[in-house]
């Protein structure tokens, strides 16, 4: 899993080919901590098909403003550098898998 910040976001997400899921989270966020193991399972199950990255919202504000991230956890889905879908709040693994399968 890739740790993102304002410096590497463009290279790792906006210039990436294929589907990228970015998890916007914070250490102090309870729902974020609940979502973390689901995100890790998804990363393992979709290895080679889906790039999974995490962005600690404490690390910067430029990306948050650019993509309108106001609540966490938020999952943004990018396909070939374009934002194609968004999920806010704690989401069940089954629903997340359905969303990813529809985007692949």
């Amino acid at each position: 899993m890739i740790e993102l910040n304002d410096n590497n976001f463009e290279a790792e997400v906006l210039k990436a080919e294929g589907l990228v899921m970015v998890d916007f989270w914070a250490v102090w966020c309870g729902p974020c901590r609940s979502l973390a193991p689901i995100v890790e399972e998804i990363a393992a199950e979709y290895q080679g098909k889906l790039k999974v990255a995490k962005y600690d919202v404490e690390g910067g504000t430029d990306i948050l403003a650019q993509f309108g991230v106001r609540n966490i956890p938020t999952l943004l889905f990018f396909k070939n550098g374009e934002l194609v879908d968004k999920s806010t709040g704690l989401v069940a693994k089954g629903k997340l898998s359905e969303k990813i399968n529809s985007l692949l």
Side-chain angles (χ1 to χ4, degrees):
M1 201 164 327
I2 299 159
E3 296 289 331
L4 295 173
N5 55 49
D6 286 354
N7 296 325
N8 68 356
F9 194 92
E10 183 177 352
E12 295 289 351
V13 178
L14 302 180
K15 291 189 175 176
E17 289 186 18
L19 188 61
V20 181
M21 180 178 78
V22 181
D23 176 16
F24 289 84
W25 70 288
V27 173
W28 47 263
C29 167
C32 298
R33 289 195 306 270
S34 297
L35 184 62
I38 295 170
V39 170
E40 289 172 15
E41 287 177 27
I42 291 288
E45 289 175 19
Y46 287 88
Q47 190 171 2
K49 298 179 198 169
L50 170 72
K51 184 177 188 177
V52 179
K54 295 179 78 71
Y55 185 98
D56 186 343
V57 298
E58 297 294 319
T61 57
D62 293 346
I63 299 300
L64 301 178
Q66 184 177 350
F67 294 103
V69 176
R70 292 186 180 87
N71 300 304
I72 54 172
T74 290
L75 298 172
L76 295 184
F77 297 87
F78 295 84
K79 194 164 196 175
N80 299 322
E82 296 292 322
L83 180 62
V84 293
D85 209 337
K86 178 179 183 177
S87 176
T88 303
L90 186 55
V91 60
K93 184 180 175 190
K95 291 285 185 194
L96 189 53
S97 292
E98 285 176 23
K99 183 180 291 281
I100 292 165
N101 289 333
S102 73
L103 294 171
L104 285 172

